[in-house]
Amino acid sequence: RLTLKFPKMTVLTRQGANDAILGHLRERRSEVILVRPPSSAADLDIFPLFHERLIVVAGVGNSLCRARKLDLSQLLDASWIQSYAEISPGGPTFDAFNAEGLPMPRCTVVSDSLNLRFGLLNTGRFITMIPGSVLQYGPIRAEIKILPIKPLQWSAPTTIATLKGRTLSPLAKLFIEEIKSLAAPLRKEPSES
């Protein structure tokens, strides 16, 4: 939306683990980052945007797509593809299975790549979780079906972080306001959507 308003603007993005992204901010190579809040944030201004919900999905050829009702215990033996953060303590997969007194399902593939997830979903053999923000705003690269499992949620919010005391450029301020606007629908409870 910003590039439509300001066609000559350039946006540089970087992706990576929290430590790498925080390094870009602290070294002043980035003005604004979207990140889950770090444990050490005394030098940051942090604005919570939303708690990311993850939706359990399968490729349309997966036999689980025929189920009208599922619970987590029925997904223990499925071929999962998950990210490292999702299966670590504090991650939604770990926390959801732990809350039900269930062991973590064995992940057949562990990767942070959404492209790999979509590719494996196309085989009909795998299940995964897709962030609700990706389902709302991102391109869907595979024929998928949402499985009838209550969405799982990150315990830590997705936040905007800037350096305390740093004067932001007008473009960075516009970017922050646009992100807040885009995040508004993601703050709603699933029943409100």
Side-chain angles (χ1 to χ4, degrees):
R1 295 187 323 194
L2 281 177
T3 59
L4 288 172
K5 292 178 190 173
F6 305 98
K8 292 187 179 184
M9 74 179 280
T10 301
V11 177
L12 304 174
T13 66
R14 295 181 174 94
Q15 294 178 331
N18 263 16
D19 291 342
I21 298 301
L22 287 164
H24 289 290
L25 185 66
R26 289 179 170 137
E27 294 161 12
R28 296 179 180 265
R29 292 185 282 155
S30 296
E31 284 187 89
V32 177
I33 61 171
L34 300 176
V35 67
R36 285 196 183 76
S39 54
S40 168
D43 60 337
L44 304 177
D45 285 323
I46 294 177
F47 177 83
L49 287 170
F50 60 96
H51 282 81
E52 183 72 81
R53 287 188 259 312
L54 286 104
I55 313 300
V56 181
V57 299
V60 292
N62 192 303
S63 62
L64 290 169
C65 290
R66 293 188 292 273
R68 292 182 188 265
K69 187 176 178 186
L70 288 170
D71 60 49
L72 290 177
S73 66
Q74 294 171 285
L75 303 179
L76 284 171
D77 294 327
S79 294
W80 282 86
I81 175 169
Q82 295 292 122
S83 76
Y84 296 96
E86 291 163 353
I87 60 175
S88 299
T93 307
F94 181 92
D95 288 351
F97 280 83
N98 190 48
E100 296 287 324
L102 297 168
M104 271 292 296
R106 186 182 77 78
C107 290
T108 306
V109 178
V110 179
S111 173
D112 291 332
S113 169
L114 276 175
N115 285 330
L116 180 59
R117 287 186 197 208
F118 282 121
L120 290 175
L121 288 174
N122 270 335
T123 69
R125 293 181 35 230
F126 292 87
I127 66 171
T128 193
M129 294 187 304
I130 301 291
S133 59
V134 170
L135 290 177
Q136 175 130 358
Y137 294 114
I140 301 302
R141 302 174 193 113
E143 286 191 67
I144 60 172
K145 182 168 181 194
I146 295 173
L147 297 180
I149 296 283
K150 180 181 175 191
L152 310 179
Q153 183 169 298
W154 282 101
S155 56
T158 298
T159 64
I160 294 174
T162 59
L163 282 177
K164 278 188 179 172
R166 181 175 185 183
T167 302
L168 298 176
S169 69
L171 186 56
K173 291 177 184 176
L174 283 170
F175 180 80
I176 289 170
E177 291 311 309
E178 197 68 31
I179 290 295
K180 287 179 180 179
S181 171
L182 287 170
L186 301 172
R187 285 192 289 273
K188 294 179 181 175
E189 291 300 316
S191 61
E192 296 178 70
S193 301

